[in-house]
Amino acid sequence: MLSASANKLSKLKEQAEEYASLIMEELDPENLGYIELWQLEALLLQRDVYINYSRPLSTASVAWSQNLSSFMPKNLFRRLSRSLQCFMLENWQRGWIILLWVIAMASLFAWKFYQYRKNRAAFQVMRYCLPVAKGAGETLKLNMALILLPVCRNTLTWLRSTRARSFIPFDDNINFHKIIAFAIAVGIIVHAGNHLTCDFPRLVNSSPEKFAPLSSDFHGTKPTYKFLLTGAEGVTGILMVILIAISFTLAARRFRRNMVRLPAPFNNLTGFNAFWYSHHLLGLVYLLLLIHGSCLYLAHKWYEKTTWMYISVPLLLYIAERSVRTCRSQHYSVKILKVLVLPGNVISLIMSKPPGFKYKSGQYIFLQCPTISPFEWHPFSITSAPGDDHLSVHIRTVGDWTKELKRVIAEGDDSTSVDHQARLVHIGNLDQRGQPRLFVDGPYGAPAQEYRNYDVLLLVGLGIGATPFISILRDLLNSTKTAEEQMDSNTETSRSEDSQNSFTSSSLTPGDKKKSQRNTNAHFYWVTREPGSFEWFKGVMDEIAEMDQKGQIELHNYLTSVYEEGDARSTLITMVQALNHAKHGVDILSGTRVRTHFARPNWKEVFTKIASKHPYSTVGVFYCGMPMLAKELKVLSHELSHKTSTRFEFHKEYF
């Protein structure tokens, strides 16, 4: 009980007598009723021996086939060359996109600069202020068009399934969106700044002789500074700057994540909702941009007013995307079949699968509950496998919307099954009286959906970040089980060579053959602080352990609230854990067949073991969790790719 208290394991304190009896059973086989201190000391010193009694489900049997030092070039030039080569392999997709974008902006700026530099009349009055402002304005048109593309989720999801994924980094779409936003901010400063502080004053204060060639552009009257600001071009420009400033400010990380504390009533200007609704102001910005671009003073021909040429196609694409989303969400209305209330403020929603709804493991969906808000959509990773006849998500109730969803569901009809433990059971239809309606939008592409493209998988989930990988694990096992059943069926019907060839050609398409050759191994690391978290996927873990007889998937649970293995404060817990796992095959912390490790994983050791076990393979490293761990995993992926024959490709997803 003291060890359980020191490690904040309240569940073990309740079962202390049972585990004390387990120690007595091990050390007192003759039923003397007591043990001596030296026996307990010997038991603790033989910790490693007892741990080896545990089923090898959660440990990797590593053959140290690679001498890591042999892959490190000793020559300084070769090391630098290898590092540069790996850097290029890692970043060439981002590099060519950024390079193309920069070249496009530079070309447009130079073209527009040269065009207005040739306009001698205007140049004599406003000098270089005018061509610089117009050049910046041209880059703004391009960026206002491009910034819509990274947030066209349906288009990106479709492109992920094409060959475009081999040369376009779709995982960085939001980063590219932010880079373009920064370029827009710079463009606004240059464009508006030059107009307001340079060429407008020069135009207003120009001599009659210099202004005469430009008089026809202003109806024969020299404009005042107030006229330039209050005209259609000036008003629309000022309004756009104000709206963009509001939208960009509330989209900043500190505002978006509610890290800025403002006094009432300004406290509503922080948080995700403020970011979401303020971003919709940009719809008005695009309308003002079209007006602004059609009211130019020094351009009169329609083909010289190019704003609509830039933004029309991306804007129509984005509007089409939002329309499809609205129509599809109305079609994908789902019924709640079962609700699992789990420890750690997590609920699992098991819903009916909409007709025609197809998805890949690793993808996510948006959920809307009209009872709470008809406008709010929230993303959640899909935890069911594509072959399941239902759709499931795990939701952690930490925000206003998720807490309200839990409350609304709890107020529903009593016929909804509310369990306190997650189990894989048959799901039947439930009476829906009183249950809230849910709309589903998606599925949408995510980094984890690319898992089929790798020989080996390293899946790392932090807390609730394990959700996208549960679907992947189940899909891998379902595929393996289906393939084995087909093979058994084929063997029973005919053992001849011809029939085997016929089966192979008819039951496996070329794409299936390719898939069957990959993903032979997966390593899943789940790191969490709370022991109750293991209840979230307990049934899934047990099912994987029972189905996976070939060691295809290695499961590793890590509980960070317990002192690391080898610490005196956790030694007795480790011993009891090993004894119970050896005798009953069940872990005392997770309640599954997967043995729980203590503290945080030694990630360098994890990567090294995988590199040694899978030489000359490509390992897809997929991480979902808080950003703090992503940097370490990315660095290790690069480092081990340099030092070993195994190539690690890192993908991250934050929640």
Side-chain angles (χ1 to χ4, degrees), residues 463-531:
I464 197 66
T467 49
F469 306 133
I470 295 300
S471 178
I472 291 175
L473 295 176
R474 295 195 62 191
D475 190 37
L476 289 175
L477 284 174
N478 288 345
S479 299
T480 302
K481 186 175 180 180
T482 302
E484 289 177 351
E485 290 175 352
Q486 289 179 342
M487 189 64 69
D488 291 341
S489 174
N490 178 71
T491 303
E492 291 175 2
T493 54
S494 175
R495 295 180 179 272
S496 66
E497 183 177 355
D498 291 340
S499 63
Q500 289 177 355
N501 291 337
S502 175
F503 166 77
T504 302
S505 61
S506 61
S507 63
L508 293 178
T509 64
D512 294 331
K513 292 177 184 178
K514 183 177 180 180
K515 288 181 180 181
S516 65
Q517 296 170 0
R518 311 200 77 166
N519 299 146
T520 54
N521 292 92
H523 305 262
F524 176 49
Y525 284 79
W526 187 13
V527 185
T528 183
R529 283 186 302 194
E530 303 171 1

Side-chain angles (χ1 to χ4, degrees), residues 117-338:
R117 176 65 179 81
K118 286 198 313 178
N119 188 338
R120 294 184 178 181
F123 185 76
Q124 287 297 322
V125 174
M126 291 173 274
R127 304 298 296 173
Y128 286 99
C129 302
L130 180 63
V132 169
K134 292 298 184 178
E138 203 70 13
T139 65
L140 276 172
K141 298 174 190 177
L142 173 68
N143 287 326
M144 288 297 290
L146 290 180
I147 200 169
L148 293 172
L149 299 181
V151 291
C152 291
R153 293 191 181 93
N154 289 296
T155 303
L156 294 182
T157 300
W158 171 72
L159 288 174
R160 280 178 181 270
S161 61
T162 67
R163 292 185 178 181
R165 69 174 183 270
S166 61
F167 56 89
I168 298 178
F170 292 111
D171 295 348
D172 293 321
N173 63 314
I174 298 301
N175 290 332
F176 190 49
H177 181 75
K178 293 177 180 178
I179 291 173
I180 298 174
F182 177 78
I184 288 175
V186 173
I188 289 174
I189 293 172
V190 176
H191 178 73
N194 271 276
H195 276 323
L196 296 175
T197 64
C198 191
D199 56 23
F200 282 5
R202 282 179 174 272
L203 178 63
V204 171
N205 298 319
S206 63
S207 63
E209 294 78 13
K210 289 186 177 181
F211 178 74
L214 298 177
S215 60
S216 60
D217 292 300
F218 298 93
H219 306 290
T221 305
K222 183 191 292 188
T224 62
Y225 197 86
K226 181 180 179 181
F227 173 83
L228 294 174
L229 291 181
T230 57
E233 190 174 7
V235 170
T236 54
I238 292 171
L239 287 176
M240 282 193 292
V241 170
I242 294 173
L243 294 176
I244 289 176
I246 294 172
S247 180
F248 281 25
T249 300
L250 297 183
R253 181 175 178 272
R254 293 182 62 83
F255 281 90
R256 190 178 71 254
R257 292 187 174 273
N258 210 13
M259 298 168 66
V260 177
R261 300 299 178 186
L262 299 175
F266 300 105
N267 56 331
N268 291 326
L269 295 178
T270 62
F272 183 83
N273 283 344
F275 151 74
W276 178 250
Y277 290 121
S278 66
H279 246 53
H280 285 73
L281 292 174
L282 296 177
L284 182 58
V285 170
Y286 280 97
L287 179 61
L288 293 172
L289 182 60
L290 288 171
I291 299 173
H292 185 80
S294 63
C295 298
L296 301 179
Y297 289 120
L298 301 178
H300 305 287
K301 298 176 181 178
W302 68 270
Y303 57 82
E304 293 177 343
K305 302 177 180 182
T306 58
T307 302
W308 66 273
M309 300 180 188
Y310 284 94
I311 68 173
S312 57
V313 173
L315 191 59
L316 288 174
L317 176 63
Y318 184 76
I319 293 173
E321 286 245 349
R322 295 303 296 262
S323 301
V324 168
R325 177 173 181 171
T326 302
C327 296
R328 185 171 57 187
S329 63
Q330 297 295 326
H331 177 68
Y332 287 162
S333 177
V334 297
K335 297 180 180 179
I336 299 176
L337 301 179
K338 196 167 190 177

Side-chain angles (χ1 to χ4, degrees), residues 68-79:
L68 299 182
S69 61
S70 64
F71 292 98
M72 298 177 61
K74 296 181 179 180
N75 183 279
L76 177 61
F77 177 76
R78 290 184 178 180
R79 284 207 302 268

Side-chain angles (χ1 to χ4, degrees), residues 21-36 39:
S21 300
L22 191 64
I23 295 176
M24 292 296 295
E25 182 180 337
E26 180 71 16
L27 299 182
D28 184 26
E30 299 178 359
N31 294 321
L32 299 178
Y34 64 90
I35 59 173
E36 297 186 11
Q39 292 176 289

